[in-house]
């Protein structure tokens, strides 16, 4: 069997850098596909993390650092295009002369599940799925009763992120390596906590994920969006590691050379750090952005929170407590698989 089925990860995930011009109807091309989940962040200014997706529709904003309900803004993301996206004139995504990063994921196949008709799950869901890449965007309406939601992927989820669109409520993150009774909050720096009700103390299956009755995931009549991920060898990895507090830091095997990674300490407070291969073109990677903050891009600054992306994983290169001293979870996507489907190994950075 081939090592991977995805020799070119950029057809499913890609980072695109651009410079703003404050002009409406600015087309950003070169992504390589129509993005279905689009995350935009100003690098040089304290602006929000703007999260848009094709299921909710262009102009429907959520902000990863905020618990706020979904907003509508026609001058942020105006459309999802075949090779990128079109911007409006708002400073958060298109301020003249400022540099931006966009992280782009492809789903693309329409999905709909009538739970009563299919007997899959107990709550109806719709969305967009990409089984090859192990990614789906799922929309559902809360019932106020514990239940299950079809995710459309046909393989067991390793991580999913849920946001209440209708009301102010914190983001909730499930990570399989933490277990069904643990939660993280994307919009805060808080450590993981025990909550047996959030996921109904039930692990996801190859067809559904479980939710309890908390308002963050299941208020009756309110609308929710879930970003769902299943691991794909050579393309994506979602897991945990323990730091060693040393400049010769922990190495984590992913099975690919990472293009993008997000890291979160779970046993203590720490920000959600994001590093990618377009803003940091060589090791050591130290230009970070944070999902839970609107801060501008920051370099290491001597705080020891740095990382190398290598041919088969990542290695921590500092002793900082936000990356390499304690216990952590991570999600990572590939620049190139460690070995291609034809047996060709990738090169290091």
């Amino acid at each position: 069997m081939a090592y991977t089925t995805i020799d070119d990860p950029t057809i499913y995930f890609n980072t695109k850098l651009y410079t703003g011009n404050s002009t409406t109807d600015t087309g950003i091309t070169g992504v390589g596909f129509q993005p279905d989940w689009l995350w935009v962040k100003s690098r040089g200014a304290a602006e929000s993390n703007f999260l848009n997706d094709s299921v909710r529709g262009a102009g429907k904003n959520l902000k990863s650092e905020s618990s706020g309900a979904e907003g509508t803004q026609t001058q942020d993301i105006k459309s999802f295009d075949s090779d990128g996206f079109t911007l409006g004139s708002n400073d958060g995504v298109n301020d003249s002369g400022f540099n931006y990063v966009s992280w782009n994921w492809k789903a693309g196949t329409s999905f709909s599940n009538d739970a009563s008709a299919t007997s899959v799950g107990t709550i109806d869901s719709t969305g967009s799925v990409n089984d090859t890449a192990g990614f789906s965007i799922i929309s559902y309406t809360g019932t106020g009763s514990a239940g299950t939601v079809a995710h459309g992927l046909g393989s067991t989820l390793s991580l999913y992120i849920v946001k209440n669109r209708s009301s102010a409520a914190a983001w909730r993150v499930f990570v399989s390596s933490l277990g069904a009774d643990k939660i993280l909050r994307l919009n805060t720096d808080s450590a993981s906590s025990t909550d047996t009700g959030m996921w109904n103390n039930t692990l996801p299956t190859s067809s559904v994920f479980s939710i309890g009755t908390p308002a963050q995931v299941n208020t009756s009549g309110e609308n929710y969006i879930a970003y769902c991920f299943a691991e794909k060898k050579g393309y994506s990895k979602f897991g945990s590691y323990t730091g060693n507090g040393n400049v010769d830091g922990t190495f984590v095997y992913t099975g690919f050379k990472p293009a993008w990674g997000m890291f979160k300490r779970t046993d203590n407070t720490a920000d959600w750090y994001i590093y990618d291969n377009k803003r940091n073109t060589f090791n050591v990677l130290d230009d970070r952005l944070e999902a839970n903050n609107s801060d501008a891009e920051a370099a290491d600054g001597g705080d020891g929170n740095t990382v190398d992306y290598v041919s088969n994983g990542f290695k921590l290169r500092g002793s900082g407590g936000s990356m390499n001293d304690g216990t952590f979870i991570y999600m990572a996507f590939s620049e190139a698989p460690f070995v291609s489907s034809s047996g060709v190994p990738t090169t290091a950075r």
Side-chain angles (χ1 to χ4, degrees):
M1 179 180 292
Y3 177 83
T4 184
T5 60
I6 302 176
D7 285 330
D8 181 7
T10 64
I11 64 176
Y12 300 121
F13 169 80
N14 207 358
T15 297
K16 174 68 179 179
L17 307 180
Y18 66 91
T19 301
N21 61 19
S22 295
T23 302
T24 193
D25 295 325
T26 297
I28 304 299
T29 60
V31 171
F33 53 84
Q34 177 192 298
D36 292 294
W37 187 27
L38 171 61
W39 183 333
V40 174
K41 178 68 181 77
S42 173
R43 300 173 62 189
E47 296 281 2
S48 288
N49 292 267
F50 289 89
L51 277 61
N52 289 254
D53 63 70
S54 61
V55 172
R56 293 181 296 122
K60 300 291 187 181
N61 289 329
L62 292 167
K63 300 172 182 180
S64 65
E65 78 281 357
S66 170
S67 62
E70 179 182 271
T72 300
Q73 176 49 263
T74 59
Q75 289 300 314
D76 286 338
I77 306 302
K78 300 192 73 174
S79 65
F80 301 96
D81 307 327
S82 61
D83 188 32
F85 51 94
T86 297
L87 300 168
S89 57
N90 277 4
D91 288 351
V93 298
N94 195 17
D95 196 3
S96 183
F98 279 77
N99 293 324
Y100 294 82
V101 60
S102 69
W103 299 307
N104 304 267
W105 287 263
K106 179 177 177 59
T109 299
S110 181
F111 171 79
S112 179
N113 181 66
D114 181 334
S116 61
T118 64
S119 298
V120 178
T122 62
I123 298 171
D124 296 346
S125 59
T126 60
S128 185
V129 304
N130 184 339
D131 186 45
T132 301
F135 172 55
S136 65
I137 305 167
I138 298 299
S139 176
Y140 66 92
T141 300
T143 64
S145 299
T148 53
V149 181
H151 54 70
L153 288 179
S155 48
T156 302
L157 302 184
S158 296
L159 183 149
Y160 51 94
I161 304 168
V162 179
K163 180 67 179 77
N164 186 328
R165 301 168 57 189
S166 301
S167 300
W171 292 79
R172 288 294 187 258
V173 183
F174 166 88
V175 186
S176 61
S177 59
L178 294 180
D181 63 342
K182 294 291 191 294
I183 60 168
L184 288 165
R185 303 161 181 84
L186 186 65
N187 56 294
T188 78
D189 66 356
S190 58
S192 67
S193 59
T194 299
D195 188 330
T196 58
M198 193 67 60
W199 315 124
N200 204 28
N201 206 19
T202 305
L203 293 170
T205 71
S206 60
S207 58
V208 300
F209 63 89
S210 294
I211 53 175
T213 59
Q216 295 88 350
V217 297
N218 194 12
T219 292
S220 180
E222 298 201 336
N223 296 320
Y224 295 83
I225 198 75
Y227 303 109
C228 304
F229 299 92
E231 281 188 6
K232 296 296 178 179
K233 188 174 182 179
Y235 170 73
S236 62
K237 189 73 175 174
F238 313 92
S240 303
Y241 67 90
T242 301
N244 63 14
N246 194 296
V247 292
D248 183 14
T250 298
F251 167 75
V252 179
Y253 177 84
T254 61
F256 53 80
K257 177 166 55 177
W260 185 93
M262 182 161 67
F263 308 84
K264 175 70 179 81
R265 186 168 180 174
T266 59
D267 64 337
N268 207 335
T269 58
D271 295 319
W272 293 77
Y273 281 7
I274 303 172
Y275 297 92
D276 64 67
N277 64 342
K278 299 293 179 65
R279 293 178 301 117
N280 295 268
T281 57
F282 54 85
N283 290 330
V284 174
L285 286 75
D286 63 359
D287 290 329
R288 67 173 179 261
L289 290 165
E290 299 162 4
N292 61 296
N293 284 320
S294 60
D295 297 349
E297 183 177 273
D300 166 54
D303 67 5
N305 293 298
T306 58
V307 62
D308 281 352
Y309 286 171
V310 298
S311 63
N312 59 351
F314 59 88
K315 183 173 176 61
L316 286 306
R317 288 298 188 185
S319 57
S322 293
M323 288 286 288
N324 189 34
D325 189 4
T327 58
F328 298 81
I329 62 94
Y330 68 93
M331 56 186 299
F333 296 89
S334 173
E335 175 183 340
F338 185 38
V339 181
S340 74
S341 62
S342 58
V344 178
T346 191
T347 57
R349 302 188 89 203

